[in-house]
Amino acid sequence: MRILVFANTPAHVHLYRHAVDRLERAGHNVLVLTREYACTTDLLDFFGMPYRVYGGHGTDAYSRLRFARELGGQLGTIVRESLRFRPDVVFGRGPYAALAGTVTQTPTVLVLDDEPGDFNYTVSRPFADCILSPAVTRRDLGDDHYTFEGFKECAYLHPDVFEPDARIREYLGVADDEPYVLLRFNALDALHDTDLEGFTPEQRRDLIDRLSEDATVFVSDEGGRMELRDTPARPYDLHPALIHDAMAEASLLVADTGTMATEAALLGTPAFRYQGTDEHEYGEFEELERAGLAEQFDSYGPLCERSLEILADDEADASWQRRRQAYVGELVNLTDLLVDVATARGSLEGLSPPAKRAIRPRSQSL
């Protein structure tokens, strides 16, 4: 079989990387179409995934303007690469996967979550043969929409899949008993981030200063604009493929972005998300709050105080790990499901009995 996968962001690489590996080892021909965005191609190289680049998408205003100018050329590249590859099934989300499936007349599988905005859903839904999303997703996308118990991050952070690197503290340069915190500051450059604001520069500095009194602080600044030389924080500068290993060992993650907060929560690390001006209600994150694995805040003061409280709690790590074991282990291993859907060419009728039991029509989940 020939399987075409779209991985346009680092999160998409993680979503599909184990499935791609298993499919290749089973003798299938897999191609990833991607764009130059953040560390996406770095991750593809690290994991040895077969890919071709169809374009770029930077994080500053000029890059976004250039992207708009180059969009037609990127779509043309996608058409050429898709026709050349001749896939039996296409995986992705949004207009790119829909276009590839349409021009090749190939079954198209969309793996979606509860992101804000309607553009990706509106453009791609009519062209999808199968839509998969977590059961907590709020949207109903029609008769071809099926849900599973879990999160898209379960493709790489499910206990059956994730194996932490025991050398991560050595890589970070922290002692075995040294608490550390990861701070993730969002670039807020994606389409669905328009007009959103996260931590202000003053809040970032204050958070670093206060948390550094109780722990070593590592900062991952997606926008790359924060100067850390005059702060007590260290830049998180390991290869981006190691971020989940670093999260798993951290005492706390604080972020103004949803994906990394969700990932930390699934790893059993206290995960605090600052909403800023984001008023969208994410079904996935609210579910993790109910499970006691994540917390979100709509103002800075309570978030900072709660962070300090967690660092002072010697039982926090054990409590979060118990909740993770009780909750995450019961979720669907999404990699298993993706592999089964791929080998069935996107036809749910051809799924194995375990895969059929793992999903249900969206109408039955409401």
Side-chain angles (χ1 to χ4, degrees):
M1 283 185 57
R2 305 173 70 82
I3 300 152
L4 180 62
V5 174
F6 280 84
N8 291 326
T9 70
H12 298 166
V13 176
H14 290 298
L15 170 62
Y16 292 110
R17 64 184 175 91
H18 291 293
V20 167
D21 180 60
R22 284 175 50 179
L23 289 164
E24 285 194 306
R25 285 191 283 111
H28 300 292
N29 191 353
V30 184
L31 174 65
V32 177
L33 284 183
T34 189
R35 63 186 179 187
E36 295 284 359
Y37 172 72
C39 61
T40 303
T41 54
D42 291 335
L43 289 173
L44 290 165
D45 287 328
F46 185 92
F47 296 121
M49 296 169 69
Y51 71 92
R52 294 176 192 159
V53 176
Y54 66 79
H57 181 57
T59 59
D60 55 37
Y62 172 75
S63 296
R64 291 195 293 272
L65 179 61
R66 187 176 63 187
F67 165 74
R69 295 196 194 106
E70 296 175 352
L71 180 58
Q74 294 188 14
L75 295 177
T77 301
I78 289 170
V79 169
R80 289 193 299 273
E81 294 289 354
S82 300
L83 291 171
R84 181 183 303 160
F85 185 65
R86 296 177 291 107
D88 295 299
V89 63
V90 175
F91 281 83
R93 62 189 296 156
Y96 304 119
L99 175 63
T102 299
V103 300
T104 59
Q105 298 183 326
T106 302
T108 301
V109 179
L110 306 181
V111 184
L112 306 177
D113 56 10
D114 218 5
E115 74 169 26
D118 295 316
F119 178 74
N120 280 335
Y121 302 101
T122 301
V123 171
S124 57
R125 173 182 170 182
F127 304 97
D129 296 272
C130 173
I131 300 173
L132 298 174
S133 76
V136 294
T137 302
R138 298 172 182 275
R139 300 173 189 265
D140 182 358
L141 299 175
D143 294 340
D144 297 317
H145 185 185
Y146 291 80
T147 66
F148 58 91
E149 292 296 330
F151 305 80
K152 72 179 191 305
E153 292 83 4
C154 288
Y156 53 98
L157 296 181
H158 191 280
D160 293 344
V161 175
F162 179 73
E163 187 71 35
D165 191 326
R167 298 167 294 178
I168 192 63
R169 283 184 170 272
E170 176 185 342
Y171 299 153
L172 288 170
V174 294
D176 290 345
D177 59 349
E178 183 178 350
Y180 69 87
V181 175
L182 284 174
L183 301 183
R184 172 64 165 181
F185 298 134
N186 199 343
L188 296 172
D189 64 321
L191 180 65
H192 57 255
D193 293 328
T194 303
D195 297 326
L196 295 184
E197 295 179 3
F199 290 108
T200 66
E202 294 76 19
Q203 289 169 342
R204 292 182 179 193
R205 177 58 192 258
D206 183 68
L207 189 62
I208 290 170
D209 287 344
R210 298 187 68 182
L211 295 184
S212 64
E213 296 177 6
D214 298 305
T216 300
V217 176
F218 290 96
V219 172
S220 172
D221 178 22
E222 186 181 30
R225 296 184 295 271
M226 186 171 184
E227 179 57 67
L228 296 176
R229 282 183 298 181
D230 61 343
T231 75
R234 303 188 206 173
Y236 176 82
D237 55 6
L238 299 186
H239 193 284
L242 298 174
I243 188 62
H244 302 116
D245 305 284
M247 273 193 233
E249 190 69 12
S251 298
L252 171 68
L253 177 129
V254 180
D256 53 7
T257 176
T259 297
M260 283 185 63
T262 299
E263 291 170 334
L266 291 173
L267 289 167
T269 297
F272 295 169
R273 174 178 174 260
Y274 179 52
Q275 293 175 273
T277 58
D278 186 359
E279 298 180 354
H280 180 76
E281 295 182 357
Y282 298 87
E284 293 95 334
F285 209 81
E286 291 185 1
E287 174 66 13
L288 289 169
E289 283 190 295
R290 285 192 288 270
L293 292 169
E295 299 175 23
Q296 59 182 345
F297 302 82
D298 57 12
S299 58
Y300 171 71
L303 178 145
C304 186
E305 294 305 318
R306 178 66 173 138
S307 299
L308 294 170
E309 180 182 325
I310 282 292
L311 290 180
D313 183 357
D314 293 335
E315 300 299 319
D317 180 66
S319 297
W320 253 263
Q321 286 300 322
R322 284 195 299 269
R323 294 171 198 163
R324 180 198 184 226
Q325 292 168 10
Y327 178 72
V328 182
E330 298 302 315
L331 302 179
V332 167
N333 179 339
L334 184 55
T335 287
D336 285 347
L337 180 59
L338 293 176
V339 169
D340 217 324
V341 172
T343 54
R345 287 182 166 86
S347 170
L348 300 189
E349 295 300 319
L351 295 182
S352 68
K356 286 183 177 178
R357 290 193 295 269
I359 60 174
R360 67 176 62 184
R362 174 58 177 157
S363 59
Q364 296 181 14
S365 326
L366 295 174

